[in-house]
Amino acid sequence: MNNQAIAIPEQETVQDVGNNTDESVMSLSDFIGQFNQGLVEAVSQKNPPLYDGKPDLVREKVMDGLLRHPFPSQRGRVQAITRLLVDEGDKACILNAEMGTGKTMMAISASAVMQAEGYQRFLIIVPPHLCYKWRREILETVPDAKVWVLNGPDTLMKLLKLRESLGVASNQGGPEYFILGRVRMRMGFHWSAVTWSRKRHRSVVPEYPQKPYAESFAYCACPHCGSIVRDSEGDPITEGAFSEESSKQTSCAKCEEPLWSLHHARTRKKTRREMIAQGLCQIPTIGVKTAEKLLSTFGEETIEGMLADNIYEFINLMDEKGELVFSDRQANRMEHAMGKLEFSFGQGGYQPTEFIKRYLPNQYFDMLIVDEGHEYKNDGSAQGQAMGVLCNKVRKSLLLTGTLIGGYADDLFYLLWRLMPKAMIEDGFAYNEAGTLGTASMAFMREHGVLKDVFKETVGESHKTAKGKKMTVRTSKAPGFGPKGIARYVLPYTVFLKLKDIGGNVLPPYNEHYLEVPMTGVQAEKYRSLSGKLTTELRQALACGDTTLLGVVLNALLAWPDCCFREEVVRHPRKKELLAYVASVFSADKPSPKESALLQLCKEQMGQGRRVLVYTTYTGKRDTASRLKSLLQAEGIKVAVLRSSVETGRREDWILDQVDRGIQVMICNPELVKTGLDLLEFPTIVFMQTGYNVYTLMQASRRSWRIGQKEPVDVHFFGYEGTAQTDCLQLMAKKIAVTQSTSGDMPETGLDSLNQDGDSIEVALAKRLIAV
């Protein structure tokens, strides 16, 4: 981690690159490898690093006192993080660590070191399905840690209790952690007006004797003190005018009682008994009849108190004879499940970040830890904006990510703005007069990224002269992030760690394999026919400036080779006219060439005692997952399919249950497991398709190669020969090369790191398809 830009000695570059003959040209990676020592010495002299590898012994002692000890390479990153945040006084730090290196462990260790420096409360925002994984790892690592999970519908109740304790002196022991599920950051609430209606008469409103009362109507009054609700001119407000659409969240002018209340949209307000019964039914072994029996026997107040404050008292519940209500088997299952359940009895869905912003003092939380930080990169994302609010409410911020940038400079712009707005404003990237960051983002792209200006010259008939021409300019972004931007915004604030840097015998070998599968004769012929028809239609549409067919054509050509077990009907998205039709090629029990390759690979892995994780992106209408399951089961292989219907918070347990049942292959969409889950039981991974998303591909491919893995990990990519699938894989590889250039991986040439000829995956693929 450097605090200045890296400088390469000019004389060495000129001397060794020399002339332009092929024999003397040296790739940049070879050059770095050959002259590594001299370059490191030169860089260290001109740009001394903030952390030079010499650990702080006091902080080392703190890490020695943890219940689980980080690896030496992880310790070095923790030292670098605390050096930047504490010794240098910077507000934010980025931990750009490759998937599987233990970002959670390093963040927890860093929090323990920060606690020794006087930082007590830590707010952690994570994907919702990882809340309890973080809780478990914190309790297993940090002695005397106190952990609260803010991921259930009772989040508001916990925050209200937290606010009530602001003035109460607390005995500071171990650090305090508040784990907030990311989805909760975008939740708002619905509200309705609280009114008290009466018939209007002279005794209640004596100041309006001139108004006739022949036609009585209802008016609004405060439900607490009975005072009439009036508008800005002092006139009483009728019940019809006092509604959610026409009223603000006002309070009574006399007693300040709120004249609105929270409610859930489109749902009937449940009674207290119904809500408690619903909470009981979430617990294993308790159904509707058992819940009603418990409520009738012990009462609503007793059951509610146990569920909210002491679940173990509920598990050990005794009847009037002193007998335990639940058997040992029931108690074990309930204890395992209730550590992950959240019980709520009508607290509403108020956005937690809004509550923290309004009702908790600045720097109440000492440090914010943002897991999967790249998920907050989008401009209009509600979660990203909420993350920016939290960054401004805390003393320090630590962002964790395995893919800091997805290829474009503006991937980093909004992250930087939310983490360190002061530095961005100082560099001239501030809000414009309209109150937006659009112009600043464009300026950032022009200075540090790649923008393409496309000029189009046309001859118009409206010009007065015969030679009059009209020039139009269209600007589009391209992948790339310049070295100046890396030196200014990445190196000074970022700590890097790659799996290969961990060293020792911590990780087994990792290998990637690409298998280009030839299609059958009939399959290839029908694909060529389909491709010819669709590319002709696409070329004609693009010539007219119509891009509506772009997604339709690309999706059809990518999907059909894998989905030709069903007929393919391609229609125009707007006109609904038929563009192409292809009949099915393979029957339900006849595998395609790629499926046959998968069957063979699975059998080979089964013979070695290895489980296989199969990724397929078509799990909706086309549903290749069900077909793969039936084909594998026909060969005697035990298979399970992970669907999106399995709740995010329960996917880890679901997978472990399937492994306990003896499955040999698991099939799922990579989007379902791309973050947080450790799939160590599946050392072989197969991508039947990849999709367009670089983040998803990089994350999903490393689900098994993580700390704790003992078996060699093999990742296989399958693609049909001569189809759009192979082109898509090549383009994905280019985007990954750009991503790695900001993580310390040097491409073969300097220009490769910019990849200036690249477009988005879809556009680049379309250009290949319609190329003559």
Side-chain angles (χ1 to χ4, degrees), residues 595-662:
E595 292 166 344
S596 297
L598 175 65
L599 290 171
Q600 181 180 353
L601 177 64
C602 289
K603 290 178 181 178
E604 293 175 356
Q605 299 302 308
M606 300 303 102
Q608 301 173 21
R610 292 165 60 93
R611 294 186 181 90
V612 181
L613 174 61
V614 179
Y615 289 134
T616 178
T617 58
Y618 305 118
T619 53
K621 180 178 68 174
R622 292 183 169 93
D623 196 13
T624 54
S626 297
R627 174 176 169 85
L628 291 175
K629 180 181 179 180
S630 63
L631 291 173
L632 289 166
Q633 286 180 334
E635 298 294 328
I637 299 173
K638 297 180 180 179
V639 189
V641 178
L642 174 62
R643 303 282 187 181
S644 59
S645 56
V646 179
E647 296 180 15
T648 54
R650 298 182 180 179
R651 284 174 190 167
E652 184 179 21
D653 289 337
W654 185 92
I655 294 171
L656 292 176
D657 287 342
Q658 298 301 319
V659 171
D660 291 340
R661 293 176 183 176

Side-chain angles (χ1 to χ4, degrees), residues 367-389:
M367 186 173 179
L368 173 68
I369 299 175
V370 184
D371 192 19
E372 304 296 342
H374 56 273
E375 300 283 354
Y376 305 90
K377 66 182 177 65
N378 294 330
D379 174 23
S381 165
Q383 294 177 3
Q385 293 169 357
M387 172 250 191
V389 169

Side-chain angles (χ1 to χ4, degrees), residues 165 191 351 415 545 672 688 707 712:
S165 65
W191 63 278
Q351 185 177 339
L415 276 180
L672 300 181
M688 299 296 283
I707 293 175

Side-chain angles (χ1 to χ4, degrees), residues 446 452-457 471-476:
R446 287 198 178 276
K452 297 191 300 184
D453 293 328
V454 181
F455 295 85
K456 185 177 181 181
E457 191 178 79
M471 183 73 70
T472 59
V473 182
R474 178 176 57 85
T475 302
S476 61

